[in-house]
Amino acid sequence: MSRLWDKGEALDAAVARLTVGRDPELDLRLVPYDALASAAHGKMLVRIGILTDEEAADLLDELKGIAEDAAAGRFAIDPADEDGHTAIENRLTSRLGDAGRKIHTGRSRNDQVIAALRLWGRAALLDFTEQLLAVVAVLSDLASEHAATSVPGYTHGRQAMTTTLGHYFAAFAESLLDHLPWIDAAWKHLDRSPLGSASGYGVALPLDREYVAELLGFDRVQSNTLAVQNDRGRTEAMVLGVVAAAVTDLGRLARDLISYSSEEMGFVRLAVETTTGSSIMPQKRNPDPLEIVRAAAVRCRHLVAQIGDTYGGVGAGYHRDLQLTKEPFLEGMILATDCCTAMASVLAALEVDVERCRAAIEPAAAATDAVYREVRAGTPFREAYRKIGRDPQGAYRGEPAASWRERTHRGAPGDPNGGGTDPRHAAGLAWHDERREKLAAAWDRLVAG
Ligand code: ARG
């Protein structure tokens, strides 16, 4: 096959290799979405008199076949074709003739790639959210199961006060749910149809951009055609940025669990199937998934920076630099989702050693509660602090729970109303399901629309 812009001139092989880059491989993920967007564009071209009904119907059939082939791994992109957009047009032309030669009317590969990335990004954001909510569900189960499991609470990596493992897990469940409004904002940012921007300056045809948006299930059209082009990379950085913030929380949880599951601390044990072995030391079971999550959080943040520095370095409109924002976006979204899925598995299979959690508590970790006992009896805080400070070990009452149970105010480890299910979890699931159904119906809507 050949490049869409090939007019017979020679192209240096090294230049071809450099400019094509990894597109033939990366675009395989985008092809089903590009095919969907192309089908919507084709239907619109009927409305404005460029394609006949039959041509559009043939295109729709062929594009659906392409999407299915790509999803099943049967679609190949020849580097001679440059990218997925070209591979699609070439297949349409070779199978359908003129209909294929007309499909590119009123568009450019620039808005094609943005459309495919937004459609892919919506699905990827839903995949991520689904897995993130799965982590929250397991954390909430652990939180209720261990609402009374006494364990040291740390500051500075040193024992501070007694707490419960339930309180610890509930903290992460709550923090992860804090990301949902940002995820919704990222969704809204993605949920705008770019199609019809062409190369950034529109075309001299009455493109019906609203119709295309409606067919693709986009909430609205992104209006200014140049703003659409300026959004390449910008949207990706924003969406992956939201995702990276959530993965950062997972990285911190992973970091703790690596310590909590060590021989020395032993608060928890990682199930064998969620650890990996050593090729030299026969006894070892290592927390590799947690280490990867910890490192993946760093990587996701770096990928956001990579995208930001790339789009931030170019002026308005399309620049080939922007092609290099594709890989970090795809990589980051996939890695983040994999982190959530693996984290949910690790947590679901986690065994808690209640006795070791309790045994690790230093007597002096009860000191602050002893201070507050004095305060409740009327002693000024600083006086009580000094008194207990003379013998902090003496504050211990034999049962760590006796300490944290006295902290009953809202959100504290002994809060009798704490640990209930956070309604934001169910709301997040409903948010996800509603959007998932809409995406799943995309081809049906096109066929019917
Ligand atoms: N593969 C290209 C990219 O990802 C598609 C757009 C190419 N456009 C162009 N004007 N050369 O950016």
Side-chain angles (χ1 to χ4, degrees), residues 326-337:
K326 188 181 332 189
E327 187 172 353
F329 182 56
L330 297 185
E331 183 193 334
M333 295 299 287
I334 293 166
L335 180 63
T337 303

Side-chain angles (χ1 to χ4, degrees), residues 23 27 83 85 109-110 113 232 318 320 322-323 326:
D23 266 8
D27 282 4
D83 55 28
H85 321 297
R109 281 184 298 165
N110 300 349
V113 65
R232 178 96 187 264
Y318 179 81
R320 194 65 177 262
L322 297 168
Q323 181 171 289
K326 188 181 332 189

Side-chain angles (χ1 to χ4, degrees), residues 47-328:
R47 272 209 174 174
I48 64 168
I50 301 292
L51 287 176
T52 65
D53 279 327
E54 280 128 51
E55 285 171 328
D58 290 346
L59 284 166
L60 192 85
D61 275 352
E62 195 56 37
L63 286 162
K64 200 155 186 268
I66 289 173
E68 283 158 7
D69 284 352
R74 289 189 305 259
F75 189 84
I77 301 170
D78 184 339
D81 275 349
E82 281 195 310
D83 55 28
H85 321 297
T86 306
I88 290 175
E89 184 174 324
N90 284 340
R91 171 153 152 187
L92 293 175
T93 303
S94 78
R95 302 243 176 129
L96 306 174
D98 272 355
R101 277 185 283 272
K102 290 180 187 174
I103 190 67
H104 209 56
T105 314
R107 74 176 188 187
S108 84
R109 281 184 298 165
N110 300 349
D111 59 354
Q112 232 178 316
V113 65
I114 294 174
L117 280 163
R118 291 211 185 148
L119 292 167
W120 182 87
R122 285 197 312 187
L125 189 62
L126 287 189
D127 289 345
F128 174 75
T129 308
E130 186 176 25
Q131 297 307 313
L132 186 74
L133 290 170
V135 176
V136 173
V138 189
L139 283 170
S140 306
D141 287 348
L142 283 166
S144 30
E145 204 179 321
H146 294 286
T149 301
S150 300
V151 72
Y154 296 88
T155 68
H156 307 265
R158 306 283 188 276
Q159 290 203 13
M161 293 172 72
T162 58
T163 185
T164 71
L165 206 55
H167 192 256
Y168 174 86
F169 285 127
F172 276 94
E174 182 172 323
S175 297
L176 291 179
L177 290 170
D178 288 345
H179 295 286
L180 292 178
W182 302 92
I183 289 174
D184 181 52
W187 174 273
K188 289 185 175 121
H189 199 77
L190 281 168
D191 205 16
R192 301 169 302 165
S193 177
L195 285 173
S197 89
S199 61
Y201 303 96
V203 296
L205 284 175
L207 300 178
D208 189 342
R209 300 185 64 201
E210 278 77 14
Y211 179 51
V212 175
E214 190 191 311
L215 287 173
L216 291 173
F218 278 117
D219 182 54
R220 61 203 182 286
V221 166
Q222 184 175 14
S223 185
N224 182 297
T225 53
L226 184 57
V228 169
Q229 291 300 317
N230 294 347
D231 244 359
R232 178 96 187 264
R234 186 171 170 269
T235 294
E236 288 85 332
M238 217 170 277
V239 175
L240 186 59
V242 165
V243 164
V247 178
T248 297
D249 285 343
L250 287 188
R252 298 179 72 190
L253 173 63
R255 184 234 165 271
D256 281 346
L257 292 177
I258 291 166
S259 307
Y260 288 2
S261 60
S262 68
E263 287 86 350
E264 287 72 17
M265 295 181 93
F267 299 169
V268 296
R269 273 184 299 276
L270 304 176
V272 174
E273 71 268 23
T274 63
T275 59
T276 58
S278 155
S279 65
I280 173 171
M281 297 165 283
Q283 85 288 8
K284 297 237 24 222
R285 294 307 302 190
N286 297 317
D288 296 29
L290 296 173
E291 294 168 311
I292 296 287
V293 168
R294 184 170 58 180
V298 178
R299 191 171 183 84
C300 285
R301 295 195 295 272
H302 288 184
L303 293 170
V304 174
Q306 230 181 73
I307 298 170
D309 288 351
T310 306
Y311 88 78
V314 298
Y318 179 81
H319 304 266
R320 194 65 177 262
D321 311 48
L322 297 168
Q323 181 171 289
L324 294 195
T325 63
K326 188 181 332 189
E327 187 172 353

Side-chain angles (χ1 to χ4, degrees), residues 377-391:
T379 312
F381 170 80
R382 191 55 62 205
E383 197 182 315
Y385 170 94
R386 294 237 156 80
K387 180 178 160 200
I388 300 297
R390 285 192 283 279
D391 177 25

